[in-house]
C-alpha cells in the first residue's frame, strides 16, 4: 500500500458547469505513449464530483474546503488583512490493484517535460478516495463548528 496525498479543488468545465475534484500522484513509475514517444512518470490520479449531484449544503461545505482556510490579521490601526491559506489535502492508502491498465499522456505545462501521465482508478480505488474525502470533510466540518 502507498499513501497518496490528494489535494481538493473546485472549478468550472467548458459548459460552465461547476465541479469538484481530488487530485493526487501515485508513487510508482509507469510508461505511456505520447506522439510516438514513451513518457515515464508517476501518474496523476483523481476523482470528479459534479456539483449538480450535491445538495446546496454539501456544495457550501465543498466550496469552503476547496478554498482553504483564510488567514486574517489585524494591524495596529485595526485594519483586517486577509490571505488565502493552503488548500486542504488528505491521504488515502492505495495499491496497484486500485489502478486500471488505462494510462493516458497529455500535455501539461505544470510538469517538467511538459507532458503528464494519468492513470484511471478502479471502482474500488475511486471509492477509497471518495471515502477519504468524506472523512476529511467530516473533520473539516467539525473544526468549523468548533471555531465558529
Amino acid at each position: 500500500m502507498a499513501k497518496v496525498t490528494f489535494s481538493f479543488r473546485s472549478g468550472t468545465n467548458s459548459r460552465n458547469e461547476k465541479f469538484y475534484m481530488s487530485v493526487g500522484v501515485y508513487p510508482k513509475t509507469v510508461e505511456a505513449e505520447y506522439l510516438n514517444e514513451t513518457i515515464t512518470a508517476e501518474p496523476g490520479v483523481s476523482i470528479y464530483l459534479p456539483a449538480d449531484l450535491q445538495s446546496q449544503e454539501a456544495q457550501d461545505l465543498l466550496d469552503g474546503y476547496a478554498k482553504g482556510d483564510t488567514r486574517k490579521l489585524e494591524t495596529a490601526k485595526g485594519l483586517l488583512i486577509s490571505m488565502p491559506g493552503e488548500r486542504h489535502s488528505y491521504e488515502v492508502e492505495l495499491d496497484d490493484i486500485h489502478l486500471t491498465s488505462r494510462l493516458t499522456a497529455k500535455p501539461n505545462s505544470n510538469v517538467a517535460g511538459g507532458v503528464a501521465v494519468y492513470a484511471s482508478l478502479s471502482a474500488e480505488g475511486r471509492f477509497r478516495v471518495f471515502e477519504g474525502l468524506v472523512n476529511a470533510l467530516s473533520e473539516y466540518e467539525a473544526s468549523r463548528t468548533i471555531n465558529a
Side-chain angles (χ1 to χ4, degrees), residues 78-99:
L79 292 173
L80 190 61
I81 307 297
S82 300
M83 161 185 120
E86 285 188 50
R87 288 180 184 229
H88 291 282
S89 61
Y90 60 98
E91 288 186 340
V92 176
E93 293 266 344
L94 293 175
D95 205 345
D96 289 356
I97 63 167
H98 298 117
L99 302 180

Side-chain angles (χ1 to χ4, degrees), residues 60-70 88 133-147:
D60 292 345
L61 178 64
L62 292 164
D63 287 337
Y65 193 69
K67 289 176 186 168
D69 294 321
T70 301
H88 291 282
L133 173 61
V134 170
N135 290 338
L137 286 167
S138 295
E139 290 175 19
Y140 172 70
E141 188 176 36
S143 73
R144 281 182 35 181
T145 304
I146 291 169
N147 295 326

Side-chain angles (χ1 to χ4, degrees), residues 2-117:
K3 282 190 181 188
V4 179
T5 301
F6 285 86
S7 64
F8 187 76
R9 59 186 54 122
S10 63
T12 305
N13 66 19
S14 60
R15 294 183 304 273
N16 208 29
E17 299 165 331
K18 188 173 185 176
F19 68 88
Y20 304 96
M21 183 175 253
S22 288
V23 180
V25 176
Y26 189 75
K28 176 186 177 179
T29 302
V30 297
E31 293 182 346
E33 295 292 320
Y34 180 74
L35 300 177
N36 296 322
E37 187 177 329
T38 300
I39 306 299
T40 304
E42 292 180 338
V45 291
S46 62
I47 62 167
Y48 176 88
L49 304 171
D52 64 349
L53 294 181
Q54 317 308 321
S55 69
Q56 187 57 54
E57 285 179 322
Q59 285 187 45
D60 292 345
L61 178 64
L62 292 164
D63 287 337
Y65 193 69
K67 289 176 186 168
D69 294 321
T70 301
R71 307 286 180 179
K72 298 178 182 182
L73 294 173
E74 192 172 321
T75 68
K77 291 189 176 186
L79 292 173
L80 190 61
I81 307 297
S82 300
M83 161 185 120
E86 285 188 50
R87 288 180 184 229
H88 291 282
S89 61
Y90 60 98
E91 288 186 340
V92 176
E93 293 266 344
L94 293 175
D95 205 345
D96 289 356
I97 63 167
H98 298 117
L99 302 180
T100 67
S101 59
R102 188 171 147 237
L103 297 171
T104 307
K106 295 181 183 177
N108 185 329
S109 61
N110 296 320
V111 298
V115 178
V117 176

